[in-house]
Amino acid sequence: MSLLGAAEIRELAEALDLKPSKSLGQNFVHDGNTCRKIVRTAGVREDDIALEIGPGLGSLTLAMMEQAAHVVVVEIDKRLADQLPITVAKHADDPSKLTVINRDALQIDSLPVDPTVLIANLPYNVSVPVFLHMLEIFPTLRTGVVMVQAEVADRLAAKPSTKEYGVPSVKAAWWADVSGAGVVSRQIFWPVPNVESKLVAFTRRQTPGDEALRKRVFAIIDLAFAQRRKMLRSALSSRYGGSAAAESVLSGAGIDATLRGEALEIGAFCAIAAYEIAIGS
Ligand code: SAM
């Protein structure tokens, strides 16, 4: 298998008359070593079905095809989706290992195969919603590595009581154990982005509850962080009809109502939602 280097990326872009779209977050990787390292970090096994969101010109896709049993990709840009099988036919040992879906990743709710590992250089403007959506719709995803803006990576992997901890951190923690997995030089992208990128690794954990609980938990998280400087009794007052009622729910759930949302781990948000259910709220 030969991977794509700077010369191939330039040739492909010229042949397609490709002007990378900022709104689609099109920054293409032209360093095969980095692609192989990402696939290694994700711990892809021979029997894995690997999912890639936004394959672009195919840099990561080819590295994924070296390791996985099958690779399914979801690409919103039709020109790129149409070109990919042609590129793969030239470079891959077994081009039949690829399935290309030309769709918006946020709009999909199933795929022809159930993926077990996620690897992606995510488009920057939808990276968090795409990441959370994939964890939600594919319970078969066991593990993975995504490349995102450094700031977003820090937020996804953040722990409570840090300034980076927020909605993405705590929602991601519902699905998975998430951790930082290193910095990526901006020189390996074309065009070179304005911001640093980082890798984020995840391993799925058993979710703390069912869909009904998750919906409540996510609604409480959104409210708690909408006014993150406020104490929980005040930030959640609209949900319970006043801050005294909020205080009563919080203390019933065993949570100090004077804390801020940023102090709570996912388990504490679950305790609040479970208490709501217990009291029929
Ligand atoms: N994986 C390639 C690489 O590393 O060189 C390209 C990564 S580039 C940062 C992001 C890719 O996601 C682009 O190919 C872009 O067209 C695609 N994309 C953007 N928004 C998308 C969406 N909502 N659904 C699927 N693909 C999307």
Side-chain angles (χ1 to χ4, degrees):
M1 177 100 62
S2 58
L3 302 192
L4 302 180
E8 284 90 359
I9 294 286
R10 218 177 13 252
E11 270 167 33
L12 277 169
E14 268 169 28
L16 291 173
D17 193 20
L18 183 69
K19 312 264 177 298
S21 152
K22 268 199 173 169
S23 63
L24 293 180
Q26 291 180 340
N27 296 92
F28 304 104
V29 175
H30 54 69
D31 179 53
N33 288 336
T34 303
C35 294
R36 285 198 172 111
K37 188 182 138 208
I38 292 170
V39 172
R40 254 197 326 273
T41 306
V44 177
R45 301 192 307 225
E46 274 178 5
D47 59 344
D48 267 321
I49 309 229
L51 166 63
E52 182 183 14
I53 303 303
L57 292 168
S59 310
L60 263 173
T61 320
L62 288 169
M64 290 161 72
M65 290 180 74
E66 285 183 330
Q67 298 299 326
H70 198 83
V71 175
V72 56
V73 302
V74 181
E75 171 58 63
I76 199 170
D77 186 328
K78 186 167 182 335
R79 293 166 310 169
L80 298 176
D82 288 347
Q83 173 61 38
L84 191 58
I86 302 168
T87 305
V88 162
K90 260 198 198 164
H91 289 263
D93 300 335
D94 180 2
S96 70
K97 277 172 43 169
L98 178 72
T99 302
V100 180
I101 310 286
N102 177 209
R103 297 260 324 258
D104 177 345
L106 287 170
Q107 302 297 324
I108 59 165
D109 51 20
S110 68
L111 286 169
V113 282
D114 287 329
T116 54
V117 55
L118 170 69
I119 298 182
N121 171 13
L122 289 173
Y124 77 98
N125 52 346
V126 287
S127 54
V128 170
V130 166
F131 181 58
L132 293 175
H133 186 55
M134 294 306 126
L135 286 168
E136 177 182 347
I137 61 172
F138 296 119
T140 47
L141 280 176
R142 184 187 85 250
T143 183
V145 169
V146 293
M147 185 158 29
V148 291
Q149 276 186 38
E151 194 185 297
V152 173
D154 293 345
R155 272 193 241 140
L156 282 170
K159 300 295 170 232
S161 302
T162 60
K163 71 176 185 340
E164 290 82 14
Y165 190 67
V167 172
S169 347
V170 68
K171 285 188 178 173
W174 169 275
W175 304 110
D177 293 318
V178 179
S179 57
V183 181
V184 180
S185 160
R186 59 175 99 175
Q187 299 310 321
I188 62 151
F189 298 98
W190 172 75
V192 177
N194 296 326
V195 292
E196 294 297 334
S197 294
K198 283 188 181 175
L199 301 176
V200 171
F202 72 90
T203 308
R204 183 174 288 276
R205 62 195 289 254
Q206 189 171 10
T207 52
D210 60 11
E211 264 304 283
L213 188 79
R214 184 186 69 78
K215 288 199 172 123
R216 281 177 187 262
V217 168
F218 278 26
I220 297 168
I221 292 167
D222 286 334
L223 265 184
F225 286 96
Q227 307 177 73
R228 69 178 285 149
R229 305 305 303 162
K230 289 204 170 163
M231 291 178 193
L232 283 165
R233 68 176 171 217
S234 151
L236 300 184
S237 61
S238 62
R239 187 167 176 87
Y240 304 112
S243 56
E247 184 150 6
S248 146
V249 172
L250 287 160
S251 64
I255 308 293
D256 178 351
T258 65
L259 290 175
R260 296 183 180 130
E262 65 195 18
L264 302 195
E265 283 185 337
I266 183 69
F269 284 104
C270 294
I272 302 169
Y275 185 72
E276 281 182 2
I277 293 171
I279 61 172
S281 161

